[in-house]
Amino acid sequence: MFLVPGFIERFLHRMASPPHFYAITERLMPWLWGIFSLLLLSGLYSGLFLAPPDYQQGESYRIIFIHVPSAWMSLFIYSVMAMAGAIALVWRIKLAEVVAISSAPVGAGFTFIALVTGSLWGKPMWGTWWVWDARLTSELILLFLYLGVIGLYNAIDDKRSASRAVAILALVGVVNIPIIHYSVEWWSTLHQGPTVTKLDKPSIHVSMLIPLLIMAVAFKFYYLIAMLQRAKTEVLVREQNAQWVKSMTEQELAS
Amino acid sequence: MSLLQAFLAIVRRDLVLAFRRRSEIANPLLFFILIITLFPLGVGAQPKLLQAIAPGIIWVSALLAAMLSLDGLFRSDFDDGSLELLLLSPYPTSVLVLGKITAHWLVTGLPLLLIAPLLALLLGISERALGTLLLTLLLGTPVLSLIGAIGVALTVGLRRGGMLMSLLVLPLYVPVLIFASSAVDMATAGLPVSAQINIMVSILLLALVLTPWPAATALKMSIN
Amino acid sequence: MNWQAFFAMGGYAFYVWTAYGITFLVLALNVVIPMVQRRQFLRHLAMKQKRQRL
Amino acid sequence: MKTGALCFSGTNLSCIRDDRVLFEQLNFTLQQGQALLLEGKNGSGKTSLLRILCGFRLPDSGSLSWCGADINGSEFYEHMAYVGHLDGFKKELTVLENLKVVKALNQPGRFSIEQSLEKLQLAGYDDVLVQALSAGQKRRLSIVRLLMTASALWILDEPFTSLDRQGIALTETLMTEHCANGGMIILTSHHDLNLSGVDLQRINLS
């Protein structure tokens, strides 16, 4: 924790205690929702209305505004999960465990979205729902990695050891993802030639890039919201014997 | 020096155990041959077709055989308490785990190399590709044992860990499958294979250095 | 641009709107499910405390 | 074993299992020559505590230290030996083969394999397969393991299970000897302990 400004260190320290985490999250949530909705609406508006149709793909390219940010998020969340896992393993910070496991279903969701939207985009463009294209294939394997993490967590009863297991698996996965990605890329160029890269034109017009970036940021905020929602539930389950949870449920009972 | 002795003691113990139990060596091998026999029955016996998909068949079967045998890697040690003693040893657990993986490979990976000529015969792989097949098996099967050890270590404490283990481990096997089967493919077509072999060597070295630590950590987690 | 043309998406309506529909369905589920779980768990905890007090 | 004073201590240990608090705020300090007996009903967390002391399980709070340092960064594992519910012997291997593996994995102790076998009246069983031994003989073999490895600290979970009266007396003598030589013992037992001259602490979990 050296080289970190004092106020951030204090913030992190407070966040590391479950009741504070719960309270801070509660207070943060409306703001996150607000920013997310604003970004989402402006992203959708500029993506679906303002951006002109693509000269090759017509209107169908508009799937890009959810497909590409989801694909980015799927990798981003996996690396966040692995980082949180590493912190949990090394410093045994309970909250890092919670963040790691709460990220997994959100990441799996984005991976699923990237696959489905990719397939829906591929049908009109390539004439088939599924091609063994390098990116779709790596995304599919990434989905399996996510499902493995979720399955492992649910299979182990003791939640603290389950978190350690998840952290180890996420770290192993994060080292493997570049290798898997590289191998799949290599495999697909070997087998079919780089003809399906109609989708990545060397440059993308600014009017399309801006909504894409707005959606990407909106999805980051969505991730924060969804992850924190899960984290809150997870913290409650783990801390159910603590006094602060008891008094909270008592208030619930009274009301 | 004594660390080496501890390592060798583990390898020797597991080899002796495997020879006393026998089925541990025979079952994965028979399973491997059996799956390969099933493929011609499933896809038809045209020599051209079989030759084309042979590398894929061999490697997918090798992955499945490795999966089958992996389940026993820590199972009996977990059941009889030897695993606890392994973890309480003052020597680094990762080295002892590497010993167990080594023994596992000697018992289940190495025999695959020995029956490779038989497979070449069954699937009509050309003679010039046989050497490449052997080389990919030599480089690839240890990686299967090494990566698989992490999956088993994570699931050994669970009642029905087998299915979960394959979900955890099979996606990680993708690079080995791709490079190994494409090397055999290329060799059949008479093309150079040094790129694939070089990559497989680096994957093996990487796995050798990087996998024992997470496997050891996962075992500590499983034992509680 | 009129609404009809907008919804038609140049003939790609099915693909575009299914993609957006599934996306927002998954996103919504990923937020709603943990909230429901939390409410259920809190209720379960409250019941447990009630039992213990009796 | 007599060099320097060894010391094993735990502070503020707590353990929660399946949302039930097994114990909280547990403290102990064990010096050389002392023994610690954990008492309590079934399910009171004796075995969980022993497993925490071995480092198999993380305590839900609190810490363990060996000679002042955290057990994971210290020489703890060179100085301890554990006998649990499972004996840790391979039943397809002979007694001697099993003990040779034990020897390779640990620092050599005060007694050789032969001497230790003799002490527990198992001399001559060297080439018997472990699966041919009776439950009591297997338990004695576990105690052989304690004698042949360098272990100042013995952690024993119900060491007297399946031992006959003579075996129990023998084990008690060995435990007394161990403490007299500057060893430490932590154990659980339903059997009434007879360790004469040993500084015995008790912790009651309930």
Side-chain angles (χ1 to χ4, degrees):
Chain A
M1 285 289 159
F2 38 91
L3 296 180
V4 179
F7 70 96
I8 294 185
E9 200 185 318
R10 275 195 300 278
F11 176 74
L12 287 178
H13 201 77
R14 270 166 65 87
M15 282 293 273
S17 116
H20 275 117
F21 167 79
Y22 201 89
I24 292 175
T25 317
E26 204 102 284
R27 227 177 305 153
L28 224 54
M29 209 45 102
W31 293 95
L32 291 176
W33 273 113
I35 299 173
F36 167 64
S37 340
L38 270 179
L39 284 169
L40 183 72
L41 288 177
S42 54
L44 287 178
Y45 180 71
S46 53
L48 294 174
F49 280 100
L50 298 183
D54 185 77
Y55 73 100
Q56 265 185 330
Q57 308 188 2
E59 306 279 359
S60 76
Y61 90 97
R62 292 188 197 279
I63 294 177
I64 201 176
F65 300 123
I66 43 178
H67 173 72
V68 170
S70 303
W72 287 345
M73 287 309 286
S74 65
L75 277 172
F76 172 77
I77 295 177
Y78 203 97
S79 34
V80 171
M81 186 170 79
M83 258 189 296
I87 293 173
L89 273 183
V90 177
W91 287 289
R92 304 212 168 127
I93 296 173
K94 286 182 194 174
L95 213 60
E97 297 175 357
V98 171
V99 168
I101 188 55
S102 304
S103 298
V106 188
F110 275 120
T111 316
F112 178 74
I113 291 172
L115 279 172
V116 171
T117 54
S119 173
L120 280 162
W121 192 6
K123 178 65 182 168
M125 290 302 105
W126 301 327
T128 157
W129 292 107
W130 181 263
V131 285
W132 288 96
D133 151 72
R135 265 176 277 173
L136 280 179
T137 312
S138 330
E139 201 69 19
L140 183 63
I141 296 172
L142 184 63
L143 182 63
F144 290 138
L145 291 178
Y146 270 120
L147 294 180
V149 166
I150 297 171
L152 183 64
Y153 186 74
N154 290 330
I156 302 177
D157 290 331
D158 179 61
K159 286 309 164 203
R160 289 217 71 187
S161 21
S163 311
R164 291 176 69 74
V166 159
I168 297 166
L169 187 62
L171 279 173
V172 172
V174 97
V175 172
N176 267 281
I177 283 174
I179 303 175
I180 293 176
H181 190 76
Y182 168 72
S183 69
V184 170
E185 199 115 295
W186 191 85
W187 159 82
S188 83
T189 51
L190 188 77
H191 283 268
Q192 50 185 191
T195 48
V196 286
T197 43
K198 201 175 170 186
L199 299 183
D200 60 344
K201 279 170 287 165
S203 68
I204 177 169
H205 194 264
V206 179
S207 59
M208 300 175 184
L209 185 63
I210 287 175
L212 190 65
L213 292 179
I214 296 179
M215 287 301 278
V217 181
F219 278 6
K220 293 263 185 323
F221 275 91
Y222 168 81
Y223 161 62
L224 269 182
I225 293 171
M227 185 270 285
L228 289 175
Q229 290 289 5
R230 281 199 189 264
K232 273 165 78 179
T233 313
E234 198 64 39
V235 164
L236 272 188
V237 174
R238 288 174 182 222
E239 296 277 314
Q240 53 184 298
N241 288 311
Q243 198 48 50
W244 68 275
V245 178
K246 282 184 180 150
S247 52
M248 206 173 73
T249 43
E250 246 147 56
Q251 282 170 13
E252 200 96 332
L253 266 182
S255 65
Chain B
M1 196 59 212
S2 49
L3 178 60
L4 184 65
Q5 275 164 9
F7 175 85
L8 291 177
I10 294 280
V11 176
R12 195 178 309 127
R13 183 195 71 174
D14 278 16
L15 289 181
V16 171
L17 277 172
F19 280 107
R20 299 226 170 124
R21 289 176 188 153
R22 278 192 199 89
S23 66
E24 219 162 273
I25 306 177
N27 285 353
L29 203 57
L30 287 175
F31 179 77
F32 184 58
I33 301 172
L34 199 64
I35 297 190
I36 289 182
T37 325
L38 289 179
F39 265 94
L41 299 175
V43 299
Q46 300 98 313
K48 276 258 165 59
L49 175 67
L50 280 180
Q51 205 174 34
I53 58 172
I57 296 177
I58 291 180
W59 266 96
V60 170
S61 316
L63 297 195
L64 294 177
M67 294 288 317
L68 183 78
S69 66
L70 272 172
D71 197 47
L73 179 55
F74 297 120
R75 171 70 53 202
S76 78
D77 284 6
F78 182 82
D79 289 341
D80 66 18
S82 323
L83 200 53
E84 293 174 355
L85 301 186
L86 207 70
L87 294 178
L88 290 180
S89 161
Y91 298 113
T93 314
S94 49
V95 176
L96 305 180
V97 167
L98 192 61
K100 287 205 61 82
I101 298 172
T102 309
H104 177 262
W105 179 76
L106 289 174
V107 170
T108 61
L110 198 57
L112 296 191
L113 280 172
L114 302 179
I115 53 159
L118 174 69
L119 307 175
L121 202 73
L122 283 174
L123 296 173
I125 290 182
S126 64
E127 272 161 45
R128 65 176 167 218
L130 181 63
T132 312
L133 174 64
L134 282 170
L135 191 57
T136 57
L137 284 172
L138 180 66
L139 294 172
T141 46
V143 179
L144 302 185
S145 297
L146 286 162
I147 296 179
I150 302 175
V152 203
L154 285 170
T155 53
V156 69
L158 307 174
R159 252 157 285 133
R160 272 190 293 276
M163 276 308 286
L164 183 61
M165 200 253 296
S166 33
L167 177 63
L168 304 186
V169 163
L170 283 177
L172 303 178
Y173 282 172
V174 167
V176 177
L177 173 68
I178 288 176
F179 292 117
S181 54
S182 104
V184 183
D185 242 347
M186 299 285 233
T188 314
L191 297 166
V193 292
S194 55
Q196 288 91 324
I197 298 301
N198 286 340
I199 295 173
M200 287 192 73
V201 170
S202 28
I203 290 181
L204 174 59
L205 293 178
L206 211 63
L208 216 48
V209 177
L210 291 185
T211 53
W213 180 78
T217 315
L219 279 180
K220 278 179 202 144
M221 181 281 303
S222 283
I223 201 87
N224 95 51
Chain C
M1 188 198 268
N2 62 9
W3 284 106
Q4 214 158 10
F6 174 68
F7 284 117
M9 275 289 155
Y12 293 115
F14 171 74
Y15 302 107
V16 174
W17 296 123
T18 320
Y20 276 81
I22 292 178
T23 301
F24 287 106
L25 182 72
V26 172
L27 294 188
L29 281 179
N30 244 335
V31 176
V32 171
I33 290 174
M35 287 168 88
V36 172
Q37 280 174 344
R38 187 164 62 244
R39 196 156 309 154
Q40 276 174 351
F41 182 73
L42 279 175
R43 205 171 300 153
H44 159 83
L45 262 190
M47 293 290 268
K48 203 169 106 183
Q49 283 180 24
K50 217 187 233 171
R51 270 203 308 274
Q52 279 169 356
R53 210 167 305 154
L54 289 177
Chain D
M1 202 177 279
K2 295 209 172 87
T3 54
L6 301 175
C7 161
F8 183 45
S9 66
T11 36
N12 279 330
L13 297 173
S14 73
C15 175
I16 300 168
R17 195 136 209 184
D18 300 330
D19 84 355
R20 207 161 57 87
V21 181
L22 289 179
F23 49 84
E24 266 180 318
Q25 304 272 311
L26 192 118
N27 294 291
F28 71 90
T29 305
L30 199 64
Q31 307 279 358
Q32 282 189 286
Q34 293 181 322
L36 171 62
L37 175 66
L38 305 178
E39 296 170 308
K41 299 191 294 283
N42 288 337
S44 61
K46 296 188 299 269
T47 296
S48 292
L49 178 55
L50 284 189
R51 297 184 74 79
I52 287 175
L53 298 183
C54 288
F56 291 143
R57 216 184 134 80
L58 291 175
D60 287 277
S61 68
S63 61
L64 288 169
S65 69
W66 177 254
C67 305
D70 187 84
I71 58 166
N72 279 312
S74 69
E75 294 171 334
F76 178 65
Y77 291 107
E78 286 172 29
H79 292 286
M80 65 86 72
Y82 168 71
V83 172
H85 292 305
L86 301 167
D87 51 35
F89 291 113
K90 290 282 164 198
K91 60 180 172 26
E92 296 95 336
L93 297 185
T94 64
V95 168
L96 192 61
E97 283 169 333
N98 267 304
L99 293 179
K100 275 188 174 160
V101 175
V102 172
K103 190 177 162 200
L105 289 185
N106 293 284
Q107 304 289 341
R110 238 167 0 127
F111 301 103
S112 69
I113 293 180
E114 290 74 24
Q115 287 169 329
S116 314
L117 282 173
E118 210 159 309
K119 282 216 164 231
L120 281 137
Q121 299 167 356
L122 285 170
Y125 280 86
D126 303 34
D127 54 1
V128 175
L129 290 182
V130 167
Q131 61 191 358
L133 296 183
S134 74
Q137 283 171 321
K138 278 189 209 161
R139 187 49 68 164
R140 290 182 190 211
L141 201 54
S142 300
I143 294 161
V144 167
R145 232 181 50 215
L146 297 176
L147 297 181
M148 58 175 280
T149 58
S151 43
L153 173 64
W154 292 357
I155 298 184
L156 315 173
D157 198 356
E158 298 292 345
F160 303 121
T161 336
S162 45
L163 285 182
D164 55 17
R165 194 171 301 162
Q166 183 217 7
I168 292 174
L170 189 59
T171 310
E172 281 173 342
T173 321
L174 288 170
M175 284 163 65
T176 317
E177 256 179 55
H178 179 65
C179 285
N181 278 310
M184 310 178 219
I185 300 175
I186 299 179
L187 78 162
T188 63
S189 171
H190 285 299
H191 173 269
D192 294 319
L193 262 188
N194 177 21
L195 299 179
S196 48
V198 173
D199 178 4
L200 185 70
Q201 307 175 36
R202 287 165 195 268
I203 289 182
N204 201 334
L205 299 169
S206 51

